[in-house]
Amino acid sequence: MIRAASPMGLFERYLTLWVALCILAGLALGNLMPELFSALAAIEYASVNLIVAVLIWAMVYPMMIAIDLGSLKAVGRRPKGLVITLTINWLIKPFTMAALAVLFFEYLLADLINPGDAQQYIAGLILLGAAPCTAGHLE
């Protein structure tokens, strides 16, 4: 069943503004209290920052609980969407992102970035390309 889109609320309507304000607040706080943010950055396990892990979990969890598990039975009847999603997310996006990363970090920006750092950026962009978007809104 297709539902009509609900009208956007204040948060959704000005999401870009909220994100920009959060970035500015983070920059300001980082400059005002660098010791605090260095301490927060040091809280990690297996090279994973625990604060970031908790915040990502807090972002993803509401989407996970909004999944209608009963609708998974219907995937087999109409698998086209799943096949397209898997193909794009796992066969097209990572390789496209890898090609763009190599183009930018090994050719176009090669003079601006340390080669070792460039390899790390390339690896990060490949992972980013393989990650399905979690910024969507499920109702």
Side-chain angles (χ1 to χ4, degrees):
M1 179 174 145
I2 298 175
R3 292 186 290 185
S6 59
M8 288 194 298
L10 182 68
F11 180 75
E12 291 89 358
R13 184 165 296 143
Y14 296 105
L15 184 59
T16 302
L17 175 64
W18 305 136
V19 170
L21 289 173
C22 287
I23 290 170
L24 291 174
L27 289 170
L29 290 171
N31 283 313
L32 291 172
M33 299 180 283
E35 302 84 19
L36 172 65
F37 287 91
S38 293
L40 291 174
I43 302 172
E44 64 178 40
Y45 178 76
S47 299
V48 175
N49 183 281
L50 295 178
I51 305 295
V52 172
V54 168
L55 293 174
I56 288 174
W57 181 255
M59 179 181 72
V60 173
Y61 183 73
M63 290 181 281
M64 291 178 11
I65 62 172
I67 295 172
D68 177 15
L69 296 177
S71 67
L72 291 177
K73 297 177 208 169
V75 170
R77 284 186 251 136
R78 293 182 17 194
K80 182 179 176 182
L82 180 62
V83 170
I84 290 171
T85 299
L86 290 174
T87 301
I88 290 172
N89 282 344
W90 297 103
L91 296 177
I92 296 173
K93 283 174 43 181
F95 297 107
T96 304
M97 189 61 88
L100 287 171
V102 168
L103 172 68
F104 278 92
F105 291 113
E106 289 190 359
Y107 294 100
L108 299 177
L109 303 174
D111 296 336
L112 302 173
I113 297 173
N114 176 340
D117 290 341
Q119 292 302 310
Q120 295 296 316
Y121 285 127
I122 290 170
L125 287 172
I126 292 169
L127 290 172
L128 182 64
C133 181
T134 57
H137 177 74
L138 299 174
E139 293 182 15

